Amino acid sequence: MLLRRKPTDTAHTHTQHTHAAAGSQVQDPNTIKPDYAPSSPWKRYIKRLPRIFKEQGSEENIPRSWVPLTERNLTEFYNEDYSDEHDAFHKVRGPRKICVLEWVQLLPGVSIEGALPIAANSPQKPPYGLYAEKLSGTAFTAPRHENQQTWLYRILPASAHSPFEPREAATYNTNPENKPHEKLFHIPNQLRWDPFDLDETVDWVHSLHLVAGAGDPTMKSGVGIYIFAAGKDMDPHEAFYSADGDFLIVPQHGVLDIQTELGKILVRPNEICVIPRGIRYRVTLPEGPVRGYILELYQGHFTLPDLGPIGSNCLANARDFQAPVASFSEDTDTSWTLLSKFSGHLFAAKQSHTPFDVVAWHGLYYPYKYDLGRFNTIGSISYDHPDPSIFTVLTAQSDHPGTAVADFVIFPPRWLVQEDTFRPPWYHRNTMSEFMGLIHGQYDAKTGGGFQPAGASLHNVMSAHGPDATTHEKASNAELKPVKVGEGSMAFMFESCLMVGVTEWGLKRCKKVQADYNAESWESLEPHFKRPEKKVGEIRNGTGSKEGEIGDKSQVPHWTS
């Protein structure tokens, strides 16, 4: 059930909060304990709902299923600015008559009901003089179950702009394979990074740093892994899109207020957002600097994984994904700059109208968000640690079923109850590449202290890895009673079947690679092997026989030890 905000309540908006004063230092959240409790939005919202809850201000009266499981993620479930269901066929009209987003401009005295054509997608004259435009995320002839197309009804078409020109060609490049003096370094070493720095000096577009990747966006093949760290809003009349792939955005610190062509999305830590290839958007920072991770998918699109024997529910449920409701601006007089990331390079074009003029849309190709707190975790209730594939939120399959170009996997708070089992992940070598990050807390398989929020690790194809020495010691001697791990923590993994290369920025220029990663994690592991004690008169040659009997080495000299 979706709890809607009262129509007359406009107290909470996505308004811009005051940024830190110029020149002030931003406190890195990794050095302080987050404080979530004192001014919790719960009490403020509950007080505004006296008609629903008899005891005004009582948190206990809210059914748990009416709010997201991540305590701070309350806003969307009290307003009408989001639609629900991933892979649902959205028919979205916008904006609402009562607008809670300050930058949406309503046409005075004009109703927008009927902006979406009925039956036809491209009538001779769309309602209200709008232009019909098709946004294709797949080939027109893609199989129906894979086909992703959306019809937009906008004030001016997206093509109404000047030619794109290269911008910052000497400094902006997120596709180093296209430059002979920059390349990806393919190395078998296990890598781990200290927390990446916050950066107050750049906006969203210029905060993107490619750390690692594989393939080539020009061939629509492979993935790119980014760190973003921004401290400024994008210019008020600037929009951005990537022609290279779909962005899966994982915030670690701060809030992203994303205005897209199809509507607005507010994304906070413990949420993720997917912005498909080509969709134009603008990012502002209502609570100051932001930092996080991005997985750019050059081929295909993210989908929910098949559940197989799990059945029809669990893991990430379709009902918990949220898509934006259309909202628009009627600005046809202001000069805007449209930025494009095309083959990793930056291009710019000018246009005399806002790109955010979509009055209505319907289709299957749209941005969406998901609260990781709603993930329904599956695990073993008998013995052994299952494969991490049971923690997959979204996947993008290769042409070989069951093998992913990209999986997005999380390790949320969960109960461990296995009997006679080493409960952390086992030591392993994987044909897949594993890039891990930590949103907050402490990952239960890395308790030695080196894997920190805003940091990362990369275990490439067949690079051996597993619990660090400290974790192995604890887990090998722990009392095997039911225990909940990961409380207050959220780790994740970008997994790919591709061999991932590391950029020069990721390997050297960021200056975050931990040189002592192996020494700290595994070189200190000690052997515990002990040969079984030999019993008197017993010859251990695999037969269990006694001296002088058949099977004795002295009687059968051609047998080897």
Side-chain angles (χ1 to χ4, degrees):
M1 181 176 181
L2 186 63
L3 182 59
R4 298 294 191 185
R5 195 207 309 243
K6 293 166 57 179
T8 56
D9 184 0
T10 59
H12 184 88
T13 69
H14 297 188
T15 55
Q16 298 295 306
H17 295 262
T18 302
H19 285 209
S24 64
Q25 295 295 317
V26 175
Q27 176 67 61
D28 192 315
N30 296 314
T31 63
I32 60 174
K33 182 178 180 181
D35 185 10
Y36 302 141
S39 60
S40 170
W42 284 77
K43 296 180 181 179
R44 298 198 302 272
Y45 283 120
I46 296 166
K47 288 179 180 179
R48 296 176 186 140
L49 299 170
R51 293 189 304 166
I52 298 177
F53 304 111
K54 294 181 180 180
E55 296 181 24
Q56 184 172 344
S58 173
E59 297 183 11
E60 288 76 14
N61 285 349
I62 294 186
R64 187 168 179 81
S65 61
W66 284 24
V67 295
L69 300 185
T70 299
E71 181 174 341
R72 293 181 297 163
N73 296 355
L74 302 175
T75 309
E76 290 77 6
F77 285 72
Y78 291 88
N79 72 40
E80 300 179 342
D81 295 311
Y82 289 87
S83 297
D84 298 312
E85 292 267 344
H86 184 48
D87 284 345
F89 196 87
H90 283 282
K91 294 199 294 187
V92 187
R93 300 177 180 86
R96 305 286 181 175
K97 291 182 179 179
I98 300 298
C99 173
V100 298
L101 299 177
E102 65 173 354
W103 55 50
V104 178
Q105 301 175 17
L106 296 176
L107 300 177
V110 178
S111 171
I112 59 168
E113 284 295 323
L116 196 69
I118 297 174
N121 289 319
S122 183
Q124 183 181 25
K125 292 185 177 181
Y128 305 116
L130 298 172
Y131 286 86
E133 177 179 275
K134 190 173 188 178
L135 180 62
S136 298
T138 54
F140 298 142
T141 53
R144 184 180 289 267
H145 68 279
E146 296 177 357
N147 209 296
Q148 295 189 22
Q149 317 282 337
T150 289
W151 281 95
L152 312 175
Y153 301 92
R154 60 194 316 154
I155 296 173
L156 284 168
S159 56
H161 59 72
S162 68
F164 280 98
E165 300 290 343
R167 177 163 151 174
E168 303 164 41
T171 58
Y172 197 96
N173 179 31
T174 62
N175 186 18
E177 288 296 284
N178 278 1
K179 284 189 174 181
H181 57 280
E182 296 182 25
K183 66 175 186 176
L184 295 175
F185 298 89
H186 293 88
I187 52 179
N189 291 333
Q190 305 95 328
L191 296 172
R192 189 162 69 186
W193 288 266
D194 286 329
F196 294 93
D197 294 330
L198 292 165
D199 189 349
E200 292 183 88
T201 66
V202 295
D203 64 8
W204 170 261
V205 177
H206 296 85
S207 77
L208 303 176
H209 290 288
L210 185 69
V211 178
D216 187 343
T218 66
M219 300 300 292
K220 292 188 176 178
S221 173
V223 296
I225 298 172
Y226 297 80
I227 293 295
F228 69 86
K232 299 193 302 185
D233 294 345
M234 288 179 61
D235 186 277
H237 299 106
E238 199 170 71
F240 171 79
Y241 74 93
S242 174
D244 295 341
D246 292 8
F247 268 29
L248 191 161
I249 302 169
V250 185
Q252 184 274 327
H253 172 70
V255 177
L256 299 172
D257 204 343
I258 306 175
Q259 181 182 18
T260 79
E261 292 180 89
L262 281 70
K264 302 172 180 64
I265 300 180
L266 188 71
V267 192
R268 294 150 292 197
N270 225 50
E271 295 179 324
I272 62 169
C273 171
V274 173
I275 301 181
R277 181 198 312 266
I279 289 182
R280 300 168 180 183
Y281 63 98
R282 175 176 175 265
V283 178
T284 56
L285 316 178
E287 296 184 5
V290 296
R291 174 177 53 196
Y293 314 82
I294 296 172
L295 176 61
E296 186 171 25
L297 179 64
Y298 301 151
Q299 64 187 92
H301 300 288
F302 292 103
T303 64
L304 293 174
D306 291 333
L307 295 180
I310 294 176
S312 55
N313 299 105
C314 295
L315 307 188
N317 291 307
R319 62 174 297 188
D320 294 323
F321 287 80
Q322 296 177 296
V325 168
S327 60
F328 72 96
S329 169
E330 198 185 357
D331 177 7
T332 57
D333 301 315
T334 306
S335 177
W336 280 74
T337 299
L338 181 61
L339 300 174
S340 171
K341 187 171 82 70
F342 200 91
S343 185
H345 301 286
L346 196 63
F347 293 81
K350 294 291 185 181
Q351 61 184 56
S352 60
H353 58 95
T354 177
F356 306 115
D357 62 352
V358 176
V359 179
W361 62 271
H362 75 90
L364 287 168
Y365 194 62
Y366 50 83
Y368 55 89
K369 63 177 281 187
Y370 175 71
D371 174 13
L372 300 180
R374 286 187 163 257
F375 189 79
N376 191 345
T377 312
I378 299 295
S380 170
I381 55 174
S382 56
Y383 65 91
D384 277 358
H385 183 100
D387 294 340
S389 49
I390 59 169
F391 301 124
T392 302
V393 180
L394 293 169
T395 186
Q397 294 293 298
S398 69
D399 56 4
H400 188 74
T403 302
V405 173
D407 279 334
F408 174 63
V409 178
I410 65 171
F411 301 96
R414 60 202 182 279
W415 282 93
L416 299 182
V417 299
Q418 305 99 308
E419 298 176 336
D420 192 24
T421 295
F422 181 76
R423 289 177 173 176
W426 8 254
Y427 294 99
H428 63 292
R429 291 171 291 164
N430 195 352
T431 186
M432 309 284 279
S433 297
E434 302 176 10
F435 180 94
M436 287 196 64
L438 186 60
I439 299 172
H440 50 248
Q442 183 184 67
Y443 178 43
D444 55 285
K446 299 286 185 181
T447 60
F451 187 49
Q452 303 172 50
S457 66
L458 174 62
H459 303 134
N460 226 318
V461 173
M462 291 301 171
S463 294
H465 58 286
D468 56 38
T470 302
T471 302
H472 181 269
E473 183 67 20
K474 290 180 181 178
S476 298
N477 297 288
E479 180 184 356
L480 293 181
K481 60 182 180 181
V483 60
K484 192 171 187 180
V485 299
E487 289 197 273
S489 173
M490 183 65 73
F492 71 89
M493 179 167 65
F494 297 152
E495 188 174 57
S496 176
C497 65
L498 306 173
M499 183 176 289
V500 172
V502 184
T503 64
E504 184 180 2
W505 187 90
L507 198 60
K508 301 175 184 178
R509 286 173 21 214
C510 71
K511 300 180 180 179
K512 296 297 180 181
V513 174
Q514 297 178 6
D516 59 349
Y517 180 31
N518 288 61
E520 177 191 318
S521 298
W522 305 295
E523 289 182 16
S524 60
L525 288 168
E526 298 180 355
H528 299 290
F529 175 71
K530 294 181 180 178
R531 285 185 175 273
E533 295 183 3
K534 180 180 177 181
K535 295 181 181 179
V536 177
E538 183 178 356
I539 302 297
R540 289 194 171 274
N541 58 6
T543 66
S545 57
K546 300 288 182 65
E547 284 188 54
E549 297 179 359
I550 294 177
D552 180 13
K553 289 182 181 180
S554 61
Q555 303 295 321
V556 193
H558 61 275
W559 283 4
T560 58
S561 59

